[in-house]
Amino acid sequence: MIDQGNLLIKNCSEIVTCSGFSAKKGKEMSDLKVIPNGALVIEGGIIKAVGKSKEISERFNGESYEVIDASGKSVLPGFVDSHTHFVFGGYRAEEFCWRLNGISYMDIMQRGGGILNTVKATRAASKKELFQEGLKRLDSMLSFGVTTVEGKSGYGLDCETEIKQLEVMEELDRTHPISIVKTFLGAHVLPEEYNKGKEDQFIDDIIIKVLPIVVERKLAEFCDVFCEKNVFSIEQSRRLLLEAKKRGMKVKLHADEIVPFGGAELAAELGAVSADHLLKASEKGIEKISQAGVIATLLPGTAFSLKEPYPKARTMIEKECAVALASDMNPGSCYTESIPLIFALATIYMDMTVEETVSALTINGAAALNREKTIGSIDVGKQGDIIILEFPSYHYIPYHLGVSCVEKVIKKGRIVFDKERKEQKYVRR
Ligand code: NIG
Ligand code: FE
């Protein structure tokens, strides 16, 4: 555990609190509850007070705290990247170039490339190698202001490697300041040991042989499945996720990414915490997740990288969905940790407002990980996970195209990244 910090951040040009303890739905996403000339206090890693600078300096004596003068700087909650596959072996740069030449993601996958390519490399990699690579990727995420990240297994597809991936994430969580929320994605694709058509048997094997270990050893909080044509059917996905729920896990789905498939409808039926991708989700599916309170997690980096049309964020927001945004960082469909890229795509191509985008990357990202009560906003009682920008307003985030405006990252009240420091920019636990 990180030492718990006592910190006073004063004279902030604004504090973008994103205040709230539940997901923001539809129009609520536009209300960021900004405090101009703000200050905040963190004690023992937890936010103790937030308000106008003048009021806070009257109430709190600077001598008991490390003090940051944030004059001319905007302060926000740390970003929550709620969908990634950041622990993997090997790279697929060649496949990326094939896609640039017009071969589709699914074609590459059906020829035994794609996810299976990464499965081979991940099985071959040692825990140490996966750990070292994971650490570098987390450092990169931290520099973009991410303070909590979700990570999925799914590049093992056998019991041993699935557990290896989850254990590496556990170790990274103990080592790196970014908090890691683990998801079991054992049903990512049919592994080579199973002939095509044996999907049902593979799902049975996961249920009987792998899921009980994951649950018993508390290796993951969520269970996810790639519910897609030619991958796992609605029925297979339902069977696995119901079993996971029965064993006390929360569920998520890769839903309606490549073709309209009914994944959103299934997410609503199962009371999933989130339905992710949704590029091809039907109007009916969108209505159902809205009614069921399932978070719509959109991954515009993947649509961009696959040259697919973007998910219909405006329709979702009009239908009162809670929309989250995430990177989907993975070695195939979207190899990026860049929050500024996701910000640019959401605002410029998906017509989300800057305010909606901030909500989607903070409080709604937290809700997509079932952590809306503890992170995702600057509220008294929440964890002191904060970012300080180099600029006076959050409007600079999309305006400074593709470049990170994050100057400092604070995790549980301690400065863990500082762009201005020449040495020791990153602080480990
Ligand atoms: O979210 N769609 C399935 N899974 C990942 C891609 C994984 C890969 O290509 O390695 C996704 O896009
Ligand atoms: Fe994904």
Side-chain angles (χ1 to χ4, degrees):
M1 285 291 286
I2 202 162
D3 310 350
Q4 306 232 305
N6 292 342
L7 192 64
L8 170 63
I9 310 176
K10 62 177 191 183
N11 302 329
C12 315
S13 66
E14 61 181 19
I15 299 184
V16 182
T17 65
C18 303
S19 178
F21 291 82
S22 56
K24 290 191 194 293
K25 295 181 180 164
K27 286 181 283 299
E28 292 166 4
M29 291 178 67
S30 305
D31 187 5
L32 296 179
K33 303 218 178 340
V34 178
I35 304 173
N37 306 316
L40 67 95
V41 175
I42 302 172
E43 234 179 70
I46 302 292
I47 300 170
K48 175 103 197 256
V50 52
K52 288 282 195 189
S53 241
K54 191 165 169 298
E55 177 230 333
I56 296 285
S57 52
E58 281 163 12
R59 275 177 60 202
F60 294 88
N61 171 2
E63 277 163 30
S64 327
Y65 303 91
E66 183 178 350
V67 178
I68 298 178
D69 185 337
S71 303
K73 292 165 193 200
S74 173
V75 170
L76 295 91
F79 293 127
V80 179
D81 191 349
S82 61
H83 179 140
T84 86
H85 310 245
F86 80 95
V87 173
F88 56 83
Y91 289 95
R92 286 155 44 201
E94 228 177 28
E95 286 181 10
F96 181 80
C97 297
W98 295 343
R99 283 199 281 109
L100 293 181
N101 290 332
I103 307 178
S104 79
Y105 178 76
M106 281 317 243
D107 279 348
I108 294 171
M109 188 158 128
Q110 261 140 36
R111 290 179 202 177
I115 297 171
L116 288 177
N117 200 339
T118 302
V119 168
K120 256 186 223 135
T122 308
R123 287 180 180 179
S126 67
K127 270 176 100 165
K128 193 160 174 222
E129 284 161 349
L130 292 177
F131 177 84
Q132 290 303 340
E133 289 296 307
L135 217 47
K136 282 190 238 161
R137 291 170 198 147
L138 288 172
D139 277 350
S140 168
M141 290 172 187
L142 191 64
S143 73
F144 293 120
V146 172
T147 47
T148 299
V149 72
E150 185 253 18
K152 300 177 197 293
S153 68
Y155 292 126
L157 309 181
D158 59 21
C159 189
E160 188 192 332
T161 319
E162 286 292 307
I163 290 174
K164 178 169 77 176
Q165 266 191 287
L166 293 168
E167 284 176 343
V168 167
M169 283 186 247
E170 209 166 53
E171 184 65 32
L172 286 167
D173 184 50
R174 282 194 288 268
T175 313
H176 199 276
I178 296 183
S179 304
I180 300 171
V181 178
K182 299 187 291 317
T183 296
F184 171 58
L185 178 58
H188 198 183
V189 73
L190 189 70
E192 268 170 351
E193 311 78 90
Y194 292 72
N195 292 328
K196 190 96 203 109
K198 295 287 182 199
E199 285 80 3
D200 275 307
Q201 192 195 324
F202 179 58
I203 297 285
D204 286 343
D205 287 348
I206 295 179
I207 291 173
I208 295 163
K209 297 179 191 154
V210 195
L211 202 58
I213 302 177
V214 171
V215 171
E216 205 208 315
R217 292 186 47 199
K218 294 191 172 55
L219 286 167
E221 202 171 315
F222 289 93
C223 184
D224 193 347
V225 55
F226 190 9
C227 175
E228 188 68 47
K229 187 172 172 213
N230 293 328
V231 190
F232 295 108
S233 68
I234 294 285
E235 193 34 60
Q236 288 155 354
S237 305
R238 180 189 285 120
R239 199 149 60 79
L240 172 62
L241 296 179
L242 278 176
E243 201 59 48
K245 277 186 75 168
K246 212 157 76 190
R247 290 171 181 274
M249 295 181 90
K250 298 193 175 54
V251 302
K252 292 177 166 287
L253 285 91
H254 280 67
D256 302 314
E257 178 181 357
I258 318 280
V259 298
F261 199 57
E265 288 85 340
L266 179 63
E269 174 196 317
L270 295 175
V273 174
S274 71
D276 301 31
H277 282 289
L278 302 174
L279 269 61
K280 306 286 163 65
S282 69
E283 290 254 330
K284 192 124 216 87
I286 294 173
E287 276 159 21
K288 287 200 167 159
I289 57 172
S290 168
Q291 283 154 11
V294 176
I295 309 284
T297 299
L298 308 184
L299 311 163
T302 311
F304 178 60
S305 169
L306 297 180
K307 295 193 188 177
E308 289 286 339
Y310 292 88
K312 297 186 187 71
R314 285 263 53 92
T315 309
M316 293 176 195
I317 293 171
E318 273 150 29
K319 290 188 186 293
E320 298 297 314
C321 280
V323 170
L325 286 159
S327 70
D328 196 21
M329 200 284 189
N330 75 74
S333 62
C334 189
Y335 179 44
T336 186
E337 304 91 343
S338 174
I339 297 295
L341 174 63
I342 303 307
F343 222 105
L345 297 174
T347 49
I348 296 171
Y349 287 126
M350 283 159 58
D351 295 330
M352 287 177 69
T353 64
V354 182
E355 290 74 20
E356 289 165 347
T357 306
V358 169
S359 295
L361 281 164
T362 54
I363 184 69
N364 285 4
L369 298 181
N370 200 31
R371 279 168 171 62
E372 65 277 16
K373 303 271 186 287
T374 51
I375 56 170
S377 70
I378 302 181
D379 277 304
V380 172
K382 282 204 178 182
Q383 212 165 276
D385 294 359
I386 307 283
I387 57 182
I388 302 179
L389 305 186
E390 295 167 313
F391 295 108
S393 150
Y394 65 93
H395 293 136
Y396 282 73
I397 308 175
Y399 166 57
H400 202 186
L401 267 182
V403 178
S404 180
C405 297
V406 175
E407 182 185 285
K408 286 184 180 57
V409 181
I410 289 140
K411 180 74 186 177
K412 294 182 187 164
R414 281 189 63 224
I415 302 169
V416 290
F417 170 80
D418 193 340
K419 202 186 228 175
E420 291 186 325
R421 272 191 210 141
K422 295 251 171 329
E423 277 149 45
Q424 233 211 332
K425 259 194 189 5
Y426 301 92
V427 178
R428 296 263 160 83
R429 290 192 190 200

